[in-house]
Amino acid sequence: MRSLRIGVVGTGRIGSFHARTLARRVPEADLVGVADARPGGASTLAEELGVREFEAPWALLTSPDVDAVVIAATSTAHADLVIEAAAHGKAVFCEKPMAMTLSDADRAIAAADVAGVPLQVGFNRRFAPDFVAAKAVVDGGGIGRPQLLRSVTRDPGLVNPGAVPPWTIFTQTLIHDFDLLNWMNSGARAVEVSVMADALVAPDFKEGGLLDTAVVTIRYDNGAIGVAEASFSATYGYDVRAEVFGSGGMVTVGSPRQLTMEHWDGSGVRGLTARGDTELFGDAYAGEFSAFCSAVLSGGTPVVTGTDARAALAIALTCITSVSTGGTVRVGAEVSP
Ligand SMILES: NC(=O)c1ccc[n+]([C@@H]2O[C@H](COP(=O)([O-])OP(=O)(O)OC[C@H]3O[C@@H](n4cnc5c(N)ncnc54)[C@H](O)[C@@H]3O)[C@@H](O)[C@H]2O)c1
């Protein structure tokens, strides 16, 4: 089997996880190296995986030994890294959000287009088998015309509320839900957004701009109405669920349960829930890289594109305006987070 020589840029929490996934679970991937902006920040990981630590991100992005890069750096660095990687002819997988502004998203998309390199974005839920099955039912007409869509994210715990950058709940967390709703409501475009949000988990940090709880209502141009909701503190673990209700039925998908095992006794029933994203979506992360490698190796188009990332970002940025103005806002106006 042919494999794709990949380098990972950004070796924090998820970049390290991605590097391990690429090295151990994706046969089409040949992890050749890792790099981080912190000098020596990738050395322990490189040693663990037996790959090269590039001295800096630029060295990896310009290396002739690398065919494709996985960008898992801090979100604010994404767009520029995509542009630099594309300029050096690398196929690009970029974590979400691909950019923090619509103009940067456009620059990243244009850079990949001009260079003629594939660009995939890390909306991993699209690769979770349960969500893929739900999507197939919706696209096959199994629930008729979609009318109400719902996507829920509950993160397991807010450890350091003071360190959460402003608007994170929209640009980092709910952006997954926005992409999921767009994906499930195939071909439709989000036109209007309205938000209710607060700091219910850590109210003391609200003054500083923290929002840890939010409900977003989205109107689509096919008439469907979507709701995305998030909390930063589910005591029972990481919880991601979705529902599409239509003229002919409904699909529901997702469960925070890690195992189907249930423990029944005199006090009731107990089950084990996933603690974090990498536990709940381990297979989906491996699946998105497998799909990326296959698309690049076969010359195909990745299934989650820069345009998809821009569409989700447009909703996230519109949420910011809605919170700031307290009203319903048309999607698409450029706002800086
Ligand atoms: N798809 C998902 O489910 C998912 C899950 C977690 C995180 N993410 C995304 O992945 C990204 C990283 O998240 P994290 O939790 O690992 O953050 P992190 O803070 O743990 O790691 C970020 C790393 O990027 C490095 N970095 C910063 N700027 C850089 C640059 N210009 N070049 C190279 N490295 C640079 C930092 O030194 C750090 O090691 C974020 O954009 C986040 O939104 C996605």
Side-chain angles (χ1 to χ4, degrees):
M1 184 195 289
R2 277 174 64 219
S3 59
L4 191 66
R5 298 175 305 164
I6 299 185
V8 174
V9 178
T11 54
R13 185 181 74 86
I14 208 72
S16 300
F17 176 79
H18 285 343
R20 293 186 184 104
T21 298
L22 287 161
R24 296 173 182 154
R25 295 194 59 185
V26 185
E28 309 91 328
D30 172 16
L31 181 71
V32 293
V34 290
D36 196 275
R38 287 171 293 134
S43 56
T44 310
L45 181 70
E47 200 175 320
E48 172 193 327
L49 298 176
V51 299
R52 174 172 164 197
E53 182 196 11
F54 287 86
E55 68 267 34
W58 67 262
L60 189 156
L61 294 173
T62 56
S63 170
D65 300 332
V66 171
D67 305 316
V69 297
V70 167
I71 296 169
T74 311
S75 299
T76 47
H78 288 181
D80 285 341
L81 288 168
V82 170
I83 291 163
E84 196 176 346
H88 289 96
K90 312 302 181 195
V92 184
F93 178 103
C94 182
E95 258 306 346
K96 45 54 60 172
M98 182 185 70
M100 300 299 286
T101 65
L102 294 183
S103 54
D104 274 356
D106 289 337
R107 287 198 307 126
I109 292 167
D113 282 350
V114 167
V117 297
L119 169 60
Q120 181 171 324
V121 179
F123 289 122
N124 52 299
R125 293 178 196 182
R126 293 197 191 199
F127 298 87
D130 293 346
F131 286 79
V132 171
K135 163 84 171 159
V137 170
V138 174
D139 283 358
I143 59 126
R145 195 163 33 83
Q147 293 166 340
L148 287 170
L149 301 98
R150 171 179 298 274
S151 182
V152 172
T153 298
R154 301 209 179 124
D155 274 328
L158 183 52
V159 179
N160 187 0
V164 177
W167 312 118
T168 287
I169 198 162
F170 305 120
T171 60
Q172 313 293 317
T173 307
L174 279 162
I175 200 158
H176 275 297
D177 301 85
F178 303 149
D179 177 68
L180 190 95
L181 294 172
N182 289 347
W183 184 54
M184 287 288 179
N185 196 11
S186 218
R189 198 172 55 84
V191 288
E192 233 176 35
V193 164
S194 134
V195 179
M196 224 175 251
D198 212 326
L200 302 183
V201 180
D204 291 351
F205 292 84
K206 188 175 176 180
E207 278 286 290
L210 178 73
L211 294 172
D212 55 37
T213 307
V215 178
V216 178
T217 310
I218 304 164
R219 188 187 297 280
Y220 282 90
D221 64 357
N222 65 350
I225 298 171
V227 175
E229 64 158 84
S231 164
F232 280 173
S233 192
T235 54
Y236 53 84
Y238 188 54
D239 182 7
V240 171
R241 285 172 279 131
E243 182 179 297
V244 187
F245 174 92
S247 54
M250 171 176 77
V251 288
T252 64
V253 61
S255 162
R257 292 180 48 173
Q258 195 179 12
L259 300 174
T260 57
M261 185 275 289
E262 289 177 342
H263 171 194
W264 299 63
D265 66 9
S267 63
V269 188
R270 281 187 297 278
L272 202 65
T273 52
R275 294 291 105 187
D277 49 5
T278 53
E279 283 178 3
L280 192 64
F281 284 125
D283 291 344
Y285 289 116
E288 67 180 352
F289 290 128
S290 209
F292 173 66
C293 292
S294 300
V296 177
L297 290 169
S298 69
T301 305
V303 297
V304 194
T305 64
T307 306
D308 295 327
R310 187 193 193 280
L313 178 69
I315 299 174
L317 296 177
T318 308
C319 289
I320 297 173
T321 314
S322 176
V323 169
S324 308
T325 61
T328 300
V329 180
R330 301 284 303 173
V331 174
E334 172 75 322
V335 204
S336 294

